[in-house]
Amino acid sequence: MIVLGIETTCDETAVAIVTPGEEGGGRILANEILSQIAEHAAYGGVVPEIAARAHVEVLDRLIARALDRAGLTLTQMDGIAVAAGPGLIGGVLIGLVTAKTLSLVTRKPLLAVNHLEAHALTARLTDGVAFPYLLLLASGGHTQLVAVKGVGDYVRLGTTIDDAIGEAFDKVAKLLGLGYPGGPEVERVAETGDPERFALPRPMLGRREANFSLSGLKTALRIEAERIAPLTQADIADLCASFQAAVVDVVVDRLRVAMRDFAGIAGHPTALVAAGGVAANGAIRRALAAEAGQAGLAFVAPPLALCGDNGAMIAWAGIERLRLGLIDDLTAPARARWSFAEPAAAMA
Ligand code: KG4
Ligand code: ZN
């Protein structure tokens, strides 16, 4: 089984070819990615119109290049997978129409994949993790703790009530005059900073549900920054370090709640899994690994290249769905919003 995967939901145009490998995981035969970061950097964020146009310009070439790298032709694919949302609708439409066209021409099954589900299943591609597992999915648009019970069987244990974690990193970076995307910049600058200089709040700490809130933390940081302005390099480093430390504390606390809730919903998890762009953050990874260790769980985080948006995760989710016969037809819609995990029923 060989599946082509297309990802165009945000600012990355990505195409990959994946096949099942040994030990339950997958083998990546090609993984092409073109980031538009340079095109959006001047605006300090992704501009949907620019993103959509950039996808159109490079997608065909990227598909050709992926096939070339894998030494395969389109007719050798067993399925055409595409992220049909959630995301910026212009980009989603371009990926979806392209995939439908390829599916129609080659008569291979179309697999309209949820981008978040693809992030959620990446640990099975890289490490063959068995169900059920506890997932922290944290990206620029999403922050969720999820019980992953099976393909298409996801229970949301918690989510953010305002900003996503990656979004908070991006906003803090913008506020402090750092580059875009903000996460890697804040992490880099935080390395030389003092995480204890600013006593920033830890929103939601101790709350019963595994939800997050980050906008208050971001506001507290802005107030501190304004109070001591003008900022030196050392101030910026201390602000970044203090912010990151607060995020880590919040993540750990929320994770503990989710671990407890998981037991009542899905039994004993096989692993703690991190996914999404924020999973690239070293401080967060180390904290998650430590928590997993204490709970006697394996900790699995995809390699950095597979944490952010990529085509391999789309192709893999396509394989998982194709195996179960979950095929889509040409009426599959493009969805700007598309939740993949049902919220857990109110727990006593
Ligand atoms: O999953 P992703 O590539 O795209 C989506 O949002 O779907 O995630 C991108 C997000 C951005 O907000 C970025 O700032 C954040 O992930 N990010 C990080 C780091 N690397 C990327 N956040 C914190 N630390 C990082 N090292
Ligand atoms: Zn993503």
Side-chain angles (χ1 to χ4, degrees), residues 115 119 139 309 313:
H115 174 95
H119 273 304
S139 67
D309 294 346
M313 69 180 191

Side-chain angles (χ1 to χ4, degrees), residues 215-255:
S215 77
L217 172 56
K218 173 198 65 194
T219 305
L221 180 133
R222 179 170 51 74
I223 291 168
E224 289 291 340
E226 283 168 3
R227 190 173 59 80
I228 60 165
L231 302 176
T232 65
Q233 290 304 321
D235 291 334
I236 293 175
D238 292 345
L239 283 164
C240 286
S242 299
F243 169 77
Q244 189 170 271
V247 172
V248 166
D249 284 353
V250 169
V251 167
V252 166
D253 182 70
R254 307 290 73 209
L255 178 69

